[in-house]
Amino acid sequence: MVTMTLLFSSLLFSCFLHYHNLLHHKAKEKKLYFGTQIMSSDSFLPLPENPIIVGFGGVGVDFLAAVPSFPKPDAKIRTTEFKIQGGGNTGNAMTCAARLGLKPRVSNDAPGRALLEELQAEGVDTSFFVVSQEGTSPFSYIIIDSQTKTRTCIFTAGYPPMVPDDLPLANLLSALDGARVVYFDARMPDSALVIAQEAFRQNISILIDAERPREGLNDLLNLADYVVCSEKFPQAWTEASSISRALVSIILRLPRLKFVIATLGKDGCIMLEKCVDDEGSNLEEMDVESCLISLKGKIDDSTAMPTCLVSSITKFRGEGMGSVCGRLYFGTSEKIPPSELVDTTGAGDAFVGALLYAICANLSPEKMLPFASYVAAAKCRALGARSGLPYRTNPLLSRALNWSSKSSA
């Protein structure tokens, strides 16, 4: 079951997702995965002890059009493939998490009904959805260039936006009951902040997806335990001279953070984890950029699957803001053959969905980063943000947890 807040009628989908694992496998899960027949539940992805997560943020409709190449101005071209599918950062990330076995908790127009049915098919409990009987649903036109393997998104916002009064306190408390993590994509900041403050009071971990600077984002970040951000966000938010140095600045500015991750697309990801200084502050300070260069020098280019390289506990210098004791991780991405790469739409959401699973399952970063990269790569092999998301019954997922990581001294 999943809890979502969804405003729609022509429908604005703001979602409050509380996902619950499907107790019975759907027929579409019982199939061949990369030529491997599922034999027994022993090969399934393990279920975390506490798999309940809550998500709040955007859900909408994606109109996906694959074309041979991006059209020139005033041109007329034909699609090679077309699909209408649910989208939005939160909707995608929660769908991914539900398929991995977490327990996440929406009409009057056709797009709204279709989104509702799609979420229900993934095991979404719609008990906490807020439905607006007037307005328009957010939607995106997404053009997938089959030649350059890129996608262009044209977004139209929905109306009206959700406001805090749309969610009664009793419903909020019920939605958060027993949750391990609450996820926010930083949309609808006023409502998000009310939910985050209650999660904070209940000592529920908070993960923020920082795609770009937004109104109200800083208030959410101050409550965050984990931050996952796009490649451009760290420097835009901190004005640091590099991404790795920006991550140090983020940790220093947000003392509650346990880790911050910057996703780099096909170039992998960088993670900075805060650690306890057991050396009594006797650790030698180091420039984090130099450490990152050292880690990258250890990459095995012959390996197609995702790997993780990690530094020892180090005191990393900030740019004029002191230093932080932590470990730096560099995660490589899977090298997808060009013939298998279909669409990168929602790859970051898949990565986040896998991180939510990893947090609930208490995975180490050395296992978490390659696993999340594998899930994101699986998504890229199909059109749309959700079609390629793997189910926990895929035996290759459990193998992904056992890929070895490399450590530098």
Side-chain angles (χ1 to χ4, degrees):
M1 297 187 301
V2 190
T3 333
M4 276 195 180
T5 344
L6 192 55
L7 293 164
F8 69 102
S9 144
S10 267
L11 281 151
L12 167 62
F13 281 83
S14 306
C15 81
F16 196 171
L17 304 151
H18 193 170
Y19 279 73
H20 287 259
N21 181 45
L22 297 177
L23 299 179
H24 302 286
H25 301 298
K26 298 183 289 293
K28 60 182 176 181
E29 298 180 65
K30 300 176 180 177
K31 59 182 180 181
L32 294 176
Y33 292 95
F34 301 101
T36 303
Q37 176 69 49
I38 297 173
M39 299 303 294
S40 72
S41 60
D42 294 339
S43 62
F44 294 173
L45 196 66
L47 289 174
E49 183 176 343
N50 181 359
I52 299 174
I53 60 172
V54 175
F56 180 82
V59 179
V61 183
D62 287 349
F63 297 89
L64 300 132
V67 296
S69 61
F70 195 83
K72 295 180 179 180
D74 208 30
K76 292 182 179 181
I77 60 174
R78 291 181 178 271
T79 62
T80 56
E81 189 174 356
F82 178 77
K83 179 177 290 187
I84 301 174
Q85 187 179 75
N89 296 107
T90 297
N92 297 337
M94 296 296 103
T95 298
C96 176
R99 291 191 184 186
L100 295 178
L102 296 190
K103 293 182 178 179
R105 291 201 155 167
V106 266
S107 108
N108 297 336
D109 65 345
R113 288 194 299 273
L115 279 177
L116 171 59
E117 293 167 359
E118 185 176 343
L119 291 166
Q120 289 174 334
E122 297 294 346
V124 178
D125 172 8
T126 61
S127 303
F128 297 93
F129 275 91
V130 177
V131 179
S132 171
Q133 295 303 321
E134 297 180 357
T136 56
S137 302
F139 62 91
S140 295
Y141 295 116
I142 302 176
I143 303 172
I144 296 92
D145 185 334
S146 300
Q147 181 177 340
T148 61
K149 307 295 184 179
T150 58
R151 89 296 184 256
T152 301
C153 299
I154 307 168
F155 176 70
T156 300
Y159 182 85
M162 183 178 176
V163 296
D165 288 344
D166 290 329
L167 185 65
L169 178 60
N171 286 14
L172 171 58
L173 296 177
S174 295
L176 293 175
D177 184 36
R180 171 69 176 82
V181 187
V182 183
Y183 162 84
F184 298 91
D185 65 13
R187 289 173 171 81
M188 295 161 288
D190 292 340
S191 298
L193 184 60
V194 170
I195 299 165
Q197 289 171 336
E198 183 58 38
F200 177 81
R201 281 191 286 269
Q202 296 189 29
N203 200 31
I204 302 171
S205 295
I206 295 172
L207 186 150
I208 305 296
D209 185 352
E211 191 175 43
R212 59 181 175 82
R214 299 178 187 271
E215 179 184 357
L217 175 60
N218 289 359
D219 292 332
L220 289 172
L221 290 174
N222 286 329
L223 300 173
D225 298 274
Y226 314 101
V227 171
V228 182
C229 47
S230 65
E231 182 174 1
K232 295 181 180 180
F233 177 82
Q235 288 177 272
W237 197 67
T238 65
E239 299 183 351
S241 59
S242 69
I243 295 175
S244 61
R245 290 170 183 150
L247 298 187
V248 174
S249 295
I250 290 173
I251 289 281
L252 288 171
R253 291 187 187 185
L254 304 173
R256 281 181 47 83
L257 279 191
K258 296 179 176 65
F259 68 64
V260 56
I261 299 174
T263 57
L264 311 176
K266 63 181 178 59
D267 295 323
C269 64
I270 306 170
M271 171 177 164
L272 181 60
E273 177 189 34
K274 185 163 61 177
C275 299
V276 176
D277 184 1
D278 293 327
E279 300 295 325
S281 298
N282 293 321
L283 292 171
E284 182 179 354
E285 287 192 0
M286 181 178 185
D287 175 46
V288 69
E289 188 68 16
S290 299
C291 182
L292 178 61
I293 292 172
S294 175
L295 291 181
K296 287 183 175 181
K298 302 176 186 294
I299 295 174
D300 182 359
D301 290 326
S302 66
T303 302
M305 302 310 290
T307 58
C308 179
L309 300 107
V310 55
S311 75
S312 59
I313 296 178
T314 305
K315 186 176 290 185
F316 296 112
R317 290 193 299 271
E319 293 186 325
M321 293 184 63
S323 60
V324 62
C325 180
R327 288 184 187 270
L328 186 70
Y329 299 80
F330 183 77
T332 65
S333 61
E334 181 177 346
K335 296 177 182 177
I336 306 175
S339 60
E340 296 180 17
L341 178 58
V342 175
D343 177 20
T344 61
T345 301
D349 301 332
F351 186 90
V352 169
L355 289 182
L356 289 166
Y357 170 87
I359 292 170
C360 291
N362 297 315
L363 298 185
S364 67
E366 293 92 335
K367 288 187 175 183
M368 175 176 70
L369 296 183
F371 175 72
S373 293
Y374 172 81
V375 172
K379 186 247 76 70
C380 292
R381 288 177 163 89
L383 185 66
R386 303 181 187 179
S387 300
L389 293 173
Y391 291 89
R392 65 175 291 265
T393 48
N394 181 340
L396 295 183
L397 283 177
S398 58
R399 298 180 200 174
L401 294 181
N402 299 315
W403 290 328
S404 61
S405 60
K406 300 180 180 181
S407 175
S408 61

